[in-house]
């Protein structure tokens, strides 16, 4: 059975007009001053839907979106969903070769691309077997493309198409922390599932909130922060299309004065270091959240000392669409990922699939209504990840006796020293708690006897020198145990990361 009400666009876009929010700002761009009211968003989505139908794009065909965080993004995303077409937001930071793989894998018939990104994707467009239209947002349209304005000009507005709650609504490509990205299918009901759980019961988002997400719209965490949650209650989102440097984020926080800020641990660490050095205050916030990687204890406490606001650290995934394990307002303990978000169940299992006891390390499995349907064209990986009601996260955790979960690392990042599991994240937390270390990543390396030991890669804070390295090993020994300290420490300018801020340790292992 299908109905208009089961199409996600009905809930997140259409109903705001009947509920009287048409004149309210849904989005505004911090870097340009442009804004988009709820009425403009709805009408814009209807016209995009009509333009897609006019262009011969059929329901269930894919539309790739290589679009910066700008007001055209929600119009294209919801316009496609209205028409029954499947939008596929793409990471805006990838290489041409990866775009070529994704565009061919998804078989997208239309590509919407922000003008500043066109030159990167252009070489992948030659003789493409599936693309029929390339639509450029902003600037002039190069040869064999159309401008966004020309594509939608004169199109008849298209009403929201009936859909099934279980019908695929959009795809996201995983961030590829361990290799090539995978196409993840999400159904219409998944979006509301995340806003009814994390959005309402942890974030507590309300209509009078204004959200700023440093995490971009093209991946699951940013999509929830800046799209699903604010649109679920009629709030306002501030978009920032540029690279979220610490100085820029502090400036936007102070100029736009959002009530909710959504960041990642790497950015929080850089912002704290910036505030330590420059002494720049941050305008009052109601709530801050973090995901992408576990938040180090030291970063959370330093942020709170500067701002007076705690960070709700949590864990989510592309496969689950948003956060399913989190600290709660008024119940924050840095160094832990908190407890299960209402609406989700979690368990820890060993290599045989048996549940592990409190205090033991196991792989985290999660059960919730926002789980993806499958990976596109990767049946073996789908079967290995989606086990009935449970989704394997690939994260190793320890559950304490009080029910809180402590992150230990990715399944393929964990290793044993002297027969005891070592969590790279635990060693990294100890390292970044030293005032001379800005960031750290730890992997396994083999010593002269062929035995695995921790090796650290560190980014030093401004003003720190290599002379501190001789102290770091003893510092880690004193904090977490003598067998866990890094036997080798390399100083690097930066660490390889995904767009979500996850450290790509597999790249570091190649050099270890």
């Amino acid at each position: 059975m299908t109905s208009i009400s089961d199409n996600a666009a009905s809930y997140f876009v259409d109903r705001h007009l009947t509920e009287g929010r048409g004149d309210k700002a849904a989005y505004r761009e911090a870097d340009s001053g442009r804004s988009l009211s709820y009425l403009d968003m709805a009408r814009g989505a209807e016209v995009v839907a009509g333009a897609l139908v006019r262009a011969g794009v059929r329901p269930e065909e894919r539309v790739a979106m290589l679009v910066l965080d700008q007001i055209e993004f929600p119009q294209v995303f919801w316009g496609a969903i209205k028409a029954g077409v499947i939008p596929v937001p793409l990471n805006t930071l990838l290489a041409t070769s990866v775009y070529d793989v994704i565009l061919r894998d998804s078989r997208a018939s239309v590509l919407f691309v922000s003008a500043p990104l066109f030159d990167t994707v252009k070489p992948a467009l030659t003789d493409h077997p599936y693309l029929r239209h390339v639509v450029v947002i902003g600037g002039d349209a190069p040869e064999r493309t159309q401008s966004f304005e020309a594509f939608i000009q004169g199109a008849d507005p298209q009403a929201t198409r009936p859909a099934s709650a279980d019908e695929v609504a959009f795809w996201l490509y995983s961030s590829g922390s361990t290799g090539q990205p995978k196409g993840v299918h999400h159904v219409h009901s998944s979006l509301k599932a995340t806003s009814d759980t994390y959005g309402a019961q942890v974030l507590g988002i309300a209509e009078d909130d204004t959200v700023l997400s440093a995490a971009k719209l093209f991946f699951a965490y940013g999509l929830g922060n800046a799209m699903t949650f604010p649109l679920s209650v009629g709030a306002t989102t501030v978009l920032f299309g540029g690279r979220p440097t610490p100085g820029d984020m502090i400036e936007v926080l102070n100029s736009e004065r959002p009530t909710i800020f959504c960041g990642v641990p790497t950015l929080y660490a850089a912002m704290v270091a910036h505030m330590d050095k420059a002494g720049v205050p941050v305008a009052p916030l109601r709530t801050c959240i973090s995901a992408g990687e576990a938040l180090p204890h030291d970063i959370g406490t330093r942020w709170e000392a500067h701002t007076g606001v705690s960070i709700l650290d949590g864990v989510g995934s592309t496969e689950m669409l948003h956060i399913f394990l989190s600290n709660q307002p008024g119940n924050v303990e840095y160094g832990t990922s908190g407890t299960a978000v209402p609406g989700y169940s979690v368990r820890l299992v060993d290599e045989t699939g048996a549940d592990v006891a409190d205090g033991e390390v196991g792989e985290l499995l999660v059960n919730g209504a926002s789980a993806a349907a499958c990976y596109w064209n990767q049946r073996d990986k789908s079967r290995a990840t989606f086990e009935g009601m449970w989704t394997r996260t690939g994260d190793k955790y320890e559950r304490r006796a009080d029910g809180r979960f402590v992150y230990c690392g990715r399944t393929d990042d964990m290793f044993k020293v002297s027969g005891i599991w070592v969590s790279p994240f635990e060693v990294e937390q100890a390292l970044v708690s030293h005032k001379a270390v800005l960031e750290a990543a730890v992997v396994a390396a083999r010593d002269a006897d062929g035995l695995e030991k921790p090796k650290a890669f560190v980014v030093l804070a401004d003003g720190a020198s290599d002379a501190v390295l001789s102290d770091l090993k003893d510092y880690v020994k004193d904090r977490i145990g003598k067998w866990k300290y890094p036997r080798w420490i390399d100083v690097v300018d930066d660490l390889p990361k995904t767009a979500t801020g996850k450290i790509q340790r597999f790249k570091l292992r190649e050099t270890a």
Side-chain angles (χ1 to χ4, degrees):
M1 294 291 291
T2 63
S3 71
I4 292 175
S5 63
D6 283 336
N7 187 311
S10 176
Y11 179 77
F12 288 99
V13 180
D14 300 345
R15 72 179 173 90
H16 294 296
L17 303 189
T18 60
E19 293 178 4
R21 299 188 189 91
D23 292 335
K24 184 178 181 181
Y27 291 93
R28 63 175 186 258
E29 295 178 355
D31 35 6
S32 75
R34 295 195 304 165
S35 63
L36 189 72
S37 71
Y38 273 91
L39 176 62
D40 292 337
M41 180 177 64
R43 297 293 179 254
E46 289 174 351
V47 172
V48 169
L52 290 170
V53 171
R54 181 179 64 183
V57 183
R58 298 183 296 272
E60 299 183 14
E61 284 192 72
R62 270 75 70 188
V63 169
M65 296 177 58
L66 187 55
V67 181
L68 297 170
D69 278 23
Q70 56 190 105
I71 60 175
E72 286 82 5
F73 191 113
Q75 296 177 75
V76 173
F77 183 84
W78 293 114
I81 289 177
K82 274 178 170 287
V85 175
I86 297 173
V88 186
L90 303 183
N91 184 336
T92 60
L93 305 174
L94 300 177
T96 304
S97 60
V98 183
Y99 289 131
D100 186 49
V101 169
I102 292 176
L103 289 172
R104 291 173 184 273
D105 182 62
S106 65
R107 302 172 191 166
S109 57
V110 181
L111 169 66
F112 289 89
V113 53
S114 294
L117 305 174
F118 180 77
D119 285 345
T120 301
V121 76
K122 180 180 177 181
L125 306 180
T126 304
D127 298 323
H128 196 282
Y130 305 111
L131 278 176
R132 303 196 298 271
H133 304 277
V134 177
V135 182
V136 179
I137 299 172
D140 297 327
E143 186 179 0
R144 295 187 177 182
T145 73
Q146 290 176 271
S147 69
F148 180 69
E149 291 76 13
F151 182 74
I152 64 174
Q153 181 67 39
D156 293 329
Q158 177 78 22
T160 299
R161 178 181 178 273
S164 164
D166 293 333
E167 183 178 330
V168 175
F170 63 101
W171 296 8
L172 296 173
Y173 272 82
S174 65
S175 56
S177 60
T178 58
Q180 290 289 354
K182 303 178 288 293
V184 182
H185 287 198
H186 279 291
V187 301
H188 282 267
S189 59
S190 291
L191 288 162
K192 191 170 185 297
T194 60
S195 64
D196 287 345
T197 53
Y198 183 87
Q201 300 182 63
V202 176
L203 188 59
I205 192 166
E207 186 173 355
D208 60 356
D209 275 314
T210 299
V211 179
L212 171 65
S213 177
K216 301 301 184 182
L217 284 163
F218 60 72
F219 57 89
Y221 178 50
L223 189 72
N225 300 340
M227 184 89 79
T228 311
F229 301 153
L231 296 188
S232 71
V233 295
T236 299
T237 299
V238 175
L239 296 176
F240 180 75
R243 179 171 171 265
T245 65
D248 283 344
M249 284 295 94
I250 292 172
E251 183 177 336
V252 174
L253 285 171
N254 287 331
S255 62
E256 298 291 338
R257 303 181 74 85
T259 56
I260 298 174
F261 177 60
C262 313
V264 296
T266 301
L267 179 60
Y268 280 116
M271 292 175 72
V272 164
H274 185 86
M275 288 186 282
D276 284 345
K277 183 177 181 181
V280 181
V282 171
L285 290 156
R286 181 176 71 79
T287 301
C288 298
I289 67 172
S290 179
E293 281 241 297
L295 181 76
H297 180 281
D298 183 63
I299 301 304
T301 55
R302 288 167 63 196
W303 174 268
E304 193 165 339
H306 275 291
T307 66
V309 181
S310 58
I311 300 174
L312 305 182
D313 185 33
V315 60
S317 67
T318 306
E319 290 78 3
M320 294 303 297
L321 194 54
H322 210 270
I323 294 172
F324 50 81
L325 190 66
S326 181
N327 283 270
Q328 308 279 334
N331 187 18
V332 171
E333 185 173 338
Y334 296 122
T336 80
S337 297
T339 57
V341 169
Y344 292 89
S345 302
V346 295
R347 55 193 286 239
L348 298 180
V349 300
D350 62 18
E351 291 81 357
T352 69
D355 291 324
V356 304
D358 290 348
E360 296 182 7
V361 175
E363 182 181 355
L364 182 71
L365 275 61
V366 57
N367 175 5
S370 63
C374 66
Y375 296 124
W376 170 249
N377 280 348
Q378 299 204 40
R379 184 168 181 260
D380 286 346
K381 289 185 177 179
S382 293
R383 295 179 69 190
T385 300
F386 306 106
E387 299 183 350
M389 302 294 289
W390 296 95
T391 299
R392 286 188 172 270
T393 66
D395 289 322
K396 290 280 193 179
Y397 267 87
E398 174 191 332
R399 184 182 58 248
R400 300 191 324 198
D402 63 2
R404 301 184 79 90
F405 287 77
V406 178
Y407 180 69
C408 298
R410 295 290 294 171
T411 301
D412 51 4
D413 290 335
M414 298 285 289
F415 56 94
K416 286 187 175 181
V417 175
S418 301
I420 303 173
W421 281 113
V422 169
S423 160
F425 179 68
E426 184 183 18
V427 184
E428 291 161 6
Q429 276 206 110
L431 286 165
V432 299
S433 69
H434 194 288
K435 64 181 180 180
V437 179
L438 180 62
E439 294 182 284
V442 171
V443 299
R446 293 190 180 274
D447 64 14
D449 297 319
L451 300 174
E452 288 191 331
K453 299 292 190 295
K455 178 175 181 177
F457 297 83
V458 300
V459 178
L460 295 179
D462 287 345
S465 70
D466 292 3
V468 74
L469 299 183
S470 59
D471 298 329
L472 284 178
K473 294 180 182 180
D474 288 336
Y475 181 79
V476 173
K477 287 180 188 178
D478 292 341
R479 290 182 71 88
I480 61 172
K482 296 188 181 301
W483 76 94
K484 299 179 183 179
Y485 79 95
R487 275 47 165 193
W488 311 271
I489 302 177
D490 287 357
V491 176
V492 295
D493 292 332
D494 52 50
L495 299 172
K497 301 184 189 73
T498 69
T500 62
K502 295 178 181 177
I503 297 171
Q504 293 176 308
R505 292 178 183 83
F506 74 95
K507 291 185 177 180
L508 296 174
R509 285 196 293 270
E510 294 170 358
T511 66

